[in-house]
Amino acid sequence: MHFQWYPGHMTKARRMMQENIRLIDLIIELVDARIPASSRNPDIDELGKGKARLVLLNKADLADDCSNDVWVEYFRDRGYTAVKVNSRKGGGIKSIQSAIQEACREKTERDRKRGILNRPVRAMVVGIPNVGKSTFINALAGKACAKTGNRPGVTKGKQWIRLNKNVELLDTPGILWPKFEDQEVGLKLAFIGSIKDEILQTEELAAELIKYLDLCCPGAVARKYAIPDAGDPYGCLREIAKSRHCLVRGSELDTEKAASILLDDFRDGRLGRITLEMPDGPGENMPGAPAGKTPDASSDGPAQEGQRK
């Protein structure tokens, strides 16, 4: 499969970020905890030079918790403030205010020395499509300030949101980058729903996901759908179709519907807590972003529900 999705509004959004970066003190970057390296836009490092940085591993409840801790330490070792959060359920949100102050400690100290007191931190919230920026903002604000949706491309323009006297947020549209140098990155982004499903081949994408799951958490698919090990991804889709009674024209198996069920179950965490990549491995040539790898079956990290036993 070849992955590319860069609609016109993303070009506009990138230009808007460039124009507004001088107004802000802090960049809050949301990444998907299941693919923390692949879900980082390398352009953001270039745009955010000289700014304080806070990385949030969002949807942390969908990823292996021990892997989350490894990624938090990874980002902290590279000079970022990093926190794991679950914006939908509010997990980690209470720690964000202190994390913002920690990330901006040097800026606050400079202001104090210049006699500037109590000036609010102005933060830009950035991230790829469907990583949960608007859900995060609403959770942090305690009210519906930003439009949300479980699909990419909901936020189209910028929006300033005053959280309190100490913090103001600038919400921005999710942007990808014009060309994926590594198509494996595009594949992982398609798994989590950051590329519109309408432009993808559902069965092929689901088959690729099955290959990944067989590597990082063998048995998760078979346990979820109570099916035997089919031996190949498309055979697995046929078994899922049988298990979920996905039929067309009477008795013919509807493998496309089975593929959609698998993708939805993975994205919603119904296969268990799964992390698809870890630091320091293949994929480290991704420009401007941490290294990442697909865990293999030899990994000896702690298992979680749906993870390797």
Side-chain angles (χ1 to χ4, degrees):
M1 296 182 76
H2 181 79
F3 299 91
Q4 204 59 55
W5 183 56
Y6 195 76
H9 78 271
M10 289 190 185
T11 301
K12 182 180 178 182
R14 191 183 192 283
R15 191 180 307 120
M16 183 197 73
M17 288 176 63
Q18 289 175 309
E19 293 170 352
N20 287 280
I21 199 76
R22 61 185 176 82
L23 303 176
I24 63 103
D25 309 300
L26 170 68
I27 293 178
I28 300 177
E29 180 184 3
L30 274 75
V31 301
D32 190 298
R34 294 165 293 183
I35 52 168
S38 297
S39 59
R40 296 193 73 218
N41 185 334
D43 290 347
I44 291 172
D45 282 331
E46 181 65 28
L47 290 169
K49 280 184 177 178
K51 300 295 181 181
R53 301 291 295 276
L54 170 58
V55 174
L56 302 182
L57 276 79
N58 196 28
K59 305 185 182 182
D61 59 313
L62 302 181
D64 170 56
D65 200 40
C66 292
S67 300
N68 290 338
D69 292 338
V70 171
W71 277 108
V72 166
E73 289 304 311
Y74 178 86
F75 285 118
R76 288 176 178 171
D77 288 346
R78 282 150 182 77
Y80 299 90
T81 302
V83 178
K84 53 184 178 180
V85 297
N86 168 12
S87 298
R88 286 191 305 174
K89 299 179 181 177
I93 295 299
K94 290 182 179 179
S95 66
I96 298 302
Q97 293 284 355
S98 59
I100 289 173
Q101 299 307 318
E102 176 189 344
C104 294
R105 186 183 296 122
E106 292 184 9
K107 170 257 176 197
T108 303
E109 184 62 21
R110 287 196 304 269
D111 283 353
R112 188 187 65 79
K113 290 179 178 178
R114 293 161 57 193
I116 302 172
L117 303 176
N118 301 320
R119 185 170 76 85
V121 171
R122 305 192 92 187
M124 179 184 286
V125 182
V126 301
I128 64 169
N130 206 36
V131 79
K133 295 183 304 300
S134 297
T135 302
F136 160 71
I137 289 173
N138 291 342
L140 190 58
K143 58 183 178 180
C145 300
K147 188 177 180 181
T148 64
N150 190 25
R151 65 186 191 281
V154 173
T155 303
K156 297 292 186 182
K158 71 177 183 179
Q159 180 182 192
W160 279 104
I161 298 164
R162 186 177 179 86
L163 289 182
N164 50 49
K165 65 179 182 180
N166 297 317
V167 181
E168 295 177 356
L169 297 181
L170 176 60
D171 186 18
T172 62
I175 56 171
L176 296 172
W177 46 109
K179 182 180 180 181
F180 298 137
E181 299 296 337
D182 183 353
Q183 284 295 301
E184 196 166 309
V185 170
L187 184 62
K188 293 174 188 174
L189 293 175
F191 289 159
I192 67 169
S194 289
I195 298 175
K196 278 194 173 181
D197 285 338
E198 290 82 354
I199 68 170
L200 302 173
Q201 296 175 330
T202 306
E203 289 178 71
E204 189 174 352
L205 180 62
E208 292 294 334
L209 177 59
I210 289 169
K211 294 178 186 178
Y212 264 81
L213 296 175
D214 280 346
L215 287 173
C216 68
C217 45
V221 175
R223 287 193 298 272
K224 170 63 180 175
Y225 301 106
I227 60 175
D229 183 358
D232 72 274
Y234 289 97
C236 185
L237 285 177
R238 289 191 291 273
E239 291 295 335
I240 293 173
K242 291 179 186 176
S243 175
R244 290 296 184 265
H245 306 291
C246 302
L247 303 173
V248 292
R249 291 188 294 274
S251 59
E252 185 177 338
L253 294 174
D254 188 345
T255 51
E256 184 169 358
K257 184 176 180 180
S260 295
I261 289 172
L262 175 66
L263 290 168
D264 287 344
D265 284 343
F266 169 73
R267 291 168 182 173
D268 291 338
R270 289 189 288 269
L271 298 180
R273 299 183 64 169
I274 297 171
T275 299
L276 294 180
E277 62 186 17
M278 294 295 288
D280 303 322
E284 61 189 0
N285 61 345
M286 180 181 174
K293 75 173 182 178
T294 302
D296 59 31
S298 66
S299 170
D300 57 1
Q304 298 288 328
E305 180 190 355
Q307 295 284 83
R308 177 176 175 266
K309 302 296 185 184

